[in-house]
Amino acid sequence: MLPSLPDEPPGDGAGISADDVGGFDQGSPLSRWALARYLVGRAIGESVGRSLLVVALVIFGLAAAAEWGLGSTFLAVVLGILGLVVLVLRTGLRAILRRLTAAEHYGPIEARLRRLVSDTRGDVLRELRRVGLPSHAATLPLLAFRLTGKRRTATLAKLRGFDVDRAVPRSRLDELHMLLRSGLGGS
């Protein structure tokens, strides 16, 4: 009778799986919180930018319809000016967002950051819906107006219920930490 072999070879560590190591979070709890907020802010900013572009295109379409369908040059010009105002607002928002997030500083990794933001966008919108805030492409710009108007207090109270951990999975935060380290030249 032959001796039975052990299930795992002794001593060489070949039988150890990644599950045996345990969880490892990149960075401190404060840096994870800040980077999660960064991804959430960028995702909301990108969504608002897209929404404003769609709104501007619809307004320009209405301006064209007013000129050709109704024959009203005045209405077409007013709508055209309104469309330009929306585009200027969108450009200003994107410039502020780029400045706040230092997008030009992370040039080499910006494409990957955009993909992370895009991956996070759906989760962010789902979490906004859960707390009862505007979360669709057409209604997301209303969130900015709600933060400045009469409903500001109620909107801020709902935003406090926003759970970043639901919107930004740990794997995305870990990847963001690694990307930022490589973009900053750190180890």
Side-chain angles (χ1 to χ4, degrees):
M1 176 174 223
L2 294 170
S4 64
L5 296 172
D7 290 338
E8 296 181 23
D12 66 357
I16 297 175
S17 74
D19 296 333
D20 295 337
V21 175
F24 173 72
D25 291 333
Q26 297 274 346
S28 68
L30 181 61
S31 70
R32 293 182 67 74
W33 176 84
L35 290 175
R37 294 288 180 189
Y38 168 84
L39 283 177
V40 167
R42 288 252 337 230
I44 290 173
E46 293 290 326
S47 294
V48 170
R50 282 189 196 123
S51 297
L52 290 175
L53 180 61
V54 168
V55 167
L57 292 175
V58 167
I59 291 172
F60 287 136
L62 290 173
E67 176 62 35
W68 291 315
L70 299 175
S72 174
T73 304
F74 176 75
L75 183 59
V77 168
V78 169
L79 287 172
I81 291 171
L82 181 62
L84 288 174
V85 167
V86 171
L87 284 179
V88 167
L89 180 67
R90 177 183 184 265
T91 303
L93 172 73
R94 290 176 58 93
I96 290 169
L97 186 63
R98 274 193 308 278
R99 180 94 167 135
L100 288 175
T101 60
E104 66 277 350
H105 180 69
Y106 299 111
I109 61 170
E110 180 62 22
R112 183 63 192 124
L113 285 173
R114 284 179 193 248
R115 200 167 105 226
L116 272 173
V117 168
S118 177
D119 291 346
T120 305
R121 182 177 178 265
D123 298 330
V124 168
L125 296 179
R126 190 174 18 265
E127 185 62 12
L128 284 172
R129 264 191 302 281
R130 187 187 71 78
V131 297
L133 291 171
S135 61
H136 296 287
T139 61
L140 202 54
L142 297 175
L143 183 58
F145 293 116
R146 287 180 69 170
L147 286 170
T148 60
K150 295 177 185 177
R151 300 170 80 183
R152 180 172 190 220
T153 305
T155 302
L156 288 174
K158 287 182 179 183
L159 276 174
R160 283 187 208 100
F162 187 97
D163 187 4
V164 173
D165 291 330
R166 288 181 183 224
V168 183
R170 288 178 174 233
S171 62
R172 290 192 192 125
L173 284 178
D174 289 342
E175 185 175 0
L176 182 59
H177 268 279
M178 289 187 289
L179 279 172
L180 292 176
R181 264 197 204 128
S182 69
L184 294 172
S187 54

